Amino acid sequence: MEYGNPCQYFCPAAVYEMAKQPDNSLKLKINAANCVHCKTCDIADPYQIINWEVPEGGGGPNYEGM
């Protein structure tokens, strides 16, 4: 917690969210369906505990013009 859970801020697709629990504590909630496969989480994680891998069945979305 020394960095204040940065994953909730650096993900452009809001995959990582700190959700309030009934006892007012916070718990990490992962919204995997939001992921745009940009790999920012793997690169920007100061703890280096997020290990992004290519999704099952391919290399992610095919963005035109990139």
Side-chain angles (χ1 to χ4, degrees), residues 41-51:
C41 57
D42 196 0
I43 296 166
D45 177 20
Y47 299 108
Q48 295 297 298
I49 56 174
I50 298 174
N51 185 19

Side-chain angles (χ1 to χ4, degrees), residues 2-64:
E2 68 184 299
Y3 294 111
N5 300 312
C7 60
Q8 66 183 321
Y9 303 112
F10 60 60
C11 179
V15 170
Y16 306 96
E17 172 187 357
M18 296 307 293
K20 190 174 269 192
Q21 300 299 298
D23 65 355
N24 287 330
S25 65
L26 295 175
K27 183 176 180 180
L28 180 65
K29 178 181 174 187
I30 299 176
N31 302 306
N34 291 358
C35 186
V36 293
H37 311 294
C38 66
K39 203 171 176 169
T40 299
C41 57
D42 196 0
I43 296 166
D45 177 20
Y47 299 108
Q48 295 297 298
I49 56 174
I50 298 174
N51 185 19
W52 184 90
E53 294 184 17
V54 176
E56 181 180 341
N62 182 15
Y63 295 111
E64 296 294 322

